[in-house]
Amino acid sequence: MSGNLRRVAVMPGTGIGPEVTAQAVRVLEWFATRRTVPIDIAHPPSGPSAYATLGTPMPDSTLEALRNADAILFGAAGGPEIDAMPPAMREAGGLRRLRKEFDMFANLRPVVARAATIDSSTLKREVIDGVDMIIVRELTGGLYFGTPRGIETLPDGRRRGINTQVYTTDEVERVARVAFELARGRSGRLTSIDKANVMESGVMWREEVERLHRAEFSDITLNHLYVDNAAMQIVRDPRQFDVIVTDNLFGDILSDCAAMITGSLGMLPSASFSARAADGRRRALFEPVHGSAPDIAGKGIANPVGAILSAGLALRHAIGTAADADLLDRAVNDALSRVRTADIRQPDRTVVSTTGMGDAVLAALDRLNGS
Ligand code: IPM
Ligand code: MN
């Protein structure tokens, strides 16, 4: 049944990336053996270790393996190992390159207040109880890729740093369409976030979202917020949001902010998608929202839940079934009701290591699967 086989390519990255990704891989292996999900997991060489042995952080064969994968499982990028590589190599092996190369423009970041961890948040229970929203972040445009960019030295010796916020109508339309469609499958509400009171790119963003709304999605309730107000609303009353769509930079910032609803940045998963090709296939990358956290790397204390839930998004959207993803979701809740990593520690729960949390999720999967 190799025609049915789902290919997963693992790119653990740096910092805490390898530690948390290892737990996500254990979870996928569990699904392959215990629920016969037809997954083939490959570990093509990448990152600083590939640079050390092969002279490049992204060998052509790895790029090909990633291109052919149904799901790329990514850990985290950044930190001293990356900084030690020459700039061209950093760019060549980097996450931003991969997002761009595969045109994975739609980044989904679900933010759910779980009953098990509701007291781990710094926000009050009555504010976050029931939050279930999803941030759709544009991922291949805007300030992250706009040109001109760089640092130049002026004739008088001062230096000038430049970045460009730029969007075209098609870039706005395709990410807005993803968000409208998501909203249609949920509560039918979409909030689009921009800075149209100051930025022309924001004016155009808003007009384009409205045009698409009128043309194809008039059944959806659409509203717009300026990003500064949105940041405030996310901590004031997050339940007002269902689906949010916003640009690359604002999505980066607002998703870290919203993460605290879940108690820790370590809890947040994400999925990035390209458009579907004619054969129905699309590039898909799954990664926790947290970064490489060099300060705690190698200590075995990082929270792998964001990585494990990213594997859950992979099961749901690329390599398994909704039933598989739902089972994993329940197993994570079960594990969190028993043990905690240090970032979400609670007096009446045992604090476990990164691997310990992986163990707890696997044990919960066994229990819930009735085996
Ligand atoms: C994220 C990260 C990345 C980003 C960094 C590591 C480049 O913060 O995925 O949110 O800013 O996109
Ligand atoms: Mn970020």
Side-chain angles (χ1 to χ4, degrees):
M1 280 299 287
S2 71
N4 197 23
L5 199 62
R6 298 281 180 230
R7 280 184 294 250
V8 176
V10 182
M11 263 186 94
T14 53
I16 60 171
E19 302 162 49
V20 296
T21 306
Q23 304 314 313
V25 168
R26 290 175 76 200
V27 163
L28 288 183
E29 283 166 346
W30 185 94
F31 277 89
T33 57
R34 308 306 276 272
R35 283 177 59 103
T36 59
V37 181
I39 319 177
D40 172 62
I41 304 176
H43 299 261
S46 67
S49 59
Y51 174 64
T53 54
L54 305 168
T56 165
M58 183 60 75
D60 289 345
S61 57
T62 295
L63 199 58
E64 205 44 36
L66 299 179
R67 196 184 299 283
N68 290 323
D70 296 289
I72 302 168
L73 211 59
F74 189 82
E81 299 152 271
I82 301 275
D83 295 344
M85 291 197 294
M89 289 297 155
R90 260 182 259 162
E91 197 46 43
L95 181 58
R96 278 191 306 123
R97 171 187 175 197
L98 205 59
R99 290 170 175 171
K100 191 73 174 173
E101 175 109 16
F102 292 166
D103 206 16
M104 296 182 290
F105 64 91
N107 179 227
L108 276 48
R109 301 188 159 186
V111 179
V112 180
R114 292 168 183 269
T117 46
I118 204 151
D119 293 319
S120 301
S121 176
T122 50
L123 300 175
K124 290 186 187 128
R125 169 186 278 270
E126 58 267 31
V127 172
I128 59 174
D129 196 11
V131 168
D132 182 355
M133 65 169 152
I134 180 157
I135 298 174
V136 180
R137 168 188 176 192
E138 199 292 325
L139 203 60
T140 51
L143 209 75
Y144 275 59
F145 295 97
T147 52
R149 64 183 298 154
I151 302 175
E152 61 185 29
T153 303
L154 301 173
D156 65 5
R158 288 180 301 156
R159 294 195 308 149
R160 182 158 70 174
I162 306 157
N163 291 93
T164 303
Q165 168 78 336
V166 52
Y167 274 106
T168 52
T169 49
D170 54 306
E171 289 176 307
V172 178
E173 181 183 328
R174 65 182 186 170
V175 74
R177 173 169 284 111
V178 168
F180 275 122
E181 279 168 359
L182 255 176
R184 199 171 258 166
R186 294 168 55 106
S187 74
R189 288 181 295 121
L190 176 65
T191 306
S192 174
I193 296 173
D194 58 46
K195 188 69 183 169
N197 52 345
V198 176
M199 295 161 71
E200 282 75 10
S201 60
V203 172
M204 190 280 283
W205 176 285
R206 191 173 284 219
E207 288 171 355
E208 205 53 31
V209 172
E210 277 177 350
R211 193 194 54 71
L212 185 63
H213 182 227
R214 278 193 306 275
E216 296 177 33
F217 295 98
S218 51
D219 55 313
I220 305 295
T221 306
L222 170 69
N223 71 308
H224 304 273
L225 288 180
Y226 297 136
V227 63
D228 49 349
N229 184 24
M232 185 268 281
Q233 295 295 342
I234 284 173
V235 287
R236 190 188 73 87
D237 176 23
R239 271 188 302 252
Q240 69 185 283
F241 296 108
D242 184 28
V243 181
I244 285 174
V245 64
T246 190
D247 77 17
N248 203 341
L249 181 68
F250 298 158
D252 179 48
I253 298 167
L254 294 178
S255 58
D256 267 37
C257 173
M260 282 321 293
I261 294 168
T262 69
S264 167
L265 188 53
M267 301 281 294
L268 231 59
S270 87
S272 306
F273 299 110
S274 70
R276 283 191 193 280
D279 62 1
R281 297 190 65 221
R282 59 180 174 178
R283 306 276 79 75
L285 182 145
F286 303 87
E287 57 172 321
V289 170
H290 64 68
S292 58
D295 53 322
I296 60 164
K299 296 186 178 161
I301 58 172
N303 185 348
V305 170
I308 290 171
L309 291 174
S310 297
L313 288 175
L315 284 168
R316 189 177 299 280
H317 295 288
I319 55 173
T321 64
D324 296 323
D326 289 344
L327 174 66
L328 177 55
D329 213 55
R330 280 186 282 126
V332 166
N333 286 340
D334 181 305
L336 288 169
S337 71
R338 295 164 196 266
V339 297
R340 296 301 175 86
T341 43
D343 57 320
I344 46 172
R345 72 167 70 234
Q346 206 174 290
D348 55 346
R349 300 275 191 286
T350 312
V351 173
V352 293
S353 65
T354 308
T355 312
M357 183 57 84
D359 293 342
V361 172
L362 293 179
L365 280 170
D366 279 337
R367 270 194 302 280
L368 294 169
N369 198 41
S371 54

